[in-house]
Amino acid sequence: MTRFVRLGMLTPSSNTALEPITCAMLAGIGDVSAHYSRFKVTEIALSEAALRQFDASEILRAAELLAHAKVDVIAWNGTSASWLGFDRDESLCEQITAATGIKACTTVLAYRDLLRRIGAKRIGLVTPYRKDVQDKIIANWSSEGLHCFAERHLSLQDNFSFAEVSEAEVARLVEEVVREGCDAAVVLCTNMRGAGAAERLERGFGVPVLDSIAVTLWACLTAVDCDPSRVHGWGSLFTNPDLRAATAISEYNDEGER
């Protein structure tokens, strides 16, 4: 009998991108489904009020609701630990599992794992955030050995507005950091439309393009021992799930062809 896999994802309340994009990535995979629970997040800033949105108690309440759906994993599908500190997500995973008995993962911890596997030395960082948030992210990532060689940010604060940025605009920003010489590009925001352009950009430029929504799905599938390569058309993240440095995009030649 087929084993059905349920992926649980914690979602910022004003996010409109990650659910439809995740569903699109899972299209055609009938035995895997994604389920969502929201908690209040309306802005990304460094003010006390904005930072309080990510209090663990709020996130845990949403996680406990996901547990009612008997999901196989619970992911925090958000990037707040990038400016709050990686230890926040490490602690959150422990708390989620303690409260629900379900394994947990996060977008930011998955990025750390993936970028270390790739051996990325020059990360190109693309976000919709304000400069002060971007600077905090760069400092925190650097403390984990993840060095942002080039960056672009859109100076936005309203979380809803991030999904209004077109895929073409996100792709343009990725192209800019890649042309500066980065060896991996990161679209850091789970309410931004970068996943759909990843495969095309990788073919054109020959470096991994890691979108936050895709990275979170990859982390969930890996956590439940579901082969990520079942996801087609969304870039090397899925076609090369072990992401060895020499093979992260080895399916493409120098001309961007298979």
Side-chain angles (χ1 to χ4, degrees), residues 32-55:
V32 180
S33 57
H35 307 271
Y36 307 91
S37 187
R38 292 175 177 252
F39 65 97
K40 184 177 180 180
V41 178
T42 59
E43 64 171 333
I44 300 301
L46 299 183
S47 67
E48 183 178 347
L51 297 179
R52 274 202 307 269
Q53 297 172 118
F54 300 102
D55 184 85

Side-chain angles (χ1 to χ4, degrees), residues 52-247:
R52 274 202 307 269
Q53 297 172 118
F54 300 102
D55 184 85
S57 62
E58 297 297 323
I59 304 175
L60 287 171
R61 274 193 282 272
E64 289 171 0
L65 295 178
L66 274 176
H68 297 169
K70 301 187 185 302
V71 294
D72 297 286
V73 62
I74 295 176
W76 162 217
N77 205 324
T79 57
S80 56
S82 290
W83 57 90
L84 295 173
F86 283 70
D87 59 322
R88 288 287 290 266
D89 272 9
E90 292 168 347
S91 175
L92 179 63
C93 286
E94 293 174 359
Q95 292 178 74
I96 288 173
T97 300
T100 66
I102 299 169
K103 66 182 70 175
C105 61
T106 78
T107 309
V108 172
L109 297 183
Y111 264 127
R112 183 172 66 182
D113 178 24
L114 287 164
L115 290 166
R116 287 176 176 175
R117 292 195 200 191
I118 290 170
K121 303 298 183 185
R122 302 184 306 277
I123 298 167
L125 180 68
V126 172
T127 83
Y129 307 132
R130 292 165 33 139
K131 184 180 185 301
D132 56 348
V133 176
Q134 189 86 336
D135 290 344
K136 189 72 171 176
I137 292 168
I138 291 170
N140 281 339
W141 278 45
S142 180
S143 71
E144 295 288 331
L146 307 175
H147 301 295
C148 297
F149 175 81
E151 67 86 19
R152 294 291 187 278
H153 61 281
L154 294 173
S155 299
L156 300 176
Q157 181 168 333
D158 171 31
N159 193 69
F160 179 84
S161 71
F162 303 163
E164 301 294 287
V165 179
S166 69
E167 182 179 292
E169 174 67 3
V170 177
R172 183 185 67 78
L173 298 175
V174 171
E175 289 184 23
E176 288 182 3
V177 296
V178 170
R179 291 185 188 279
E180 286 192 25
C182 72
D183 54 17
V186 165
V187 179
L188 187 69
C189 176
T190 64
N191 198 26
M192 208 170 187
R193 302 183 184 280
E199 185 164 279
R200 173 179 61 80
L201 290 166
E202 288 181 337
R203 291 187 183 191
F205 294 99
V207 300
V209 176
L210 304 176
D211 169 82
S212 295
I213 300 172
V215 163
T216 310
L217 178 58
W218 177 91
C220 287
L221 293 172
T222 302
V224 298
D225 297 320
C226 185
D227 184 2
S229 69
R230 297 177 67 192
V231 176
H232 300 289
W234 297 86
S236 65
L237 173 65
F238 298 104
T239 57
N240 294 280
D242 58 348
L243 284 175
R244 294 186 302 272
T247 62

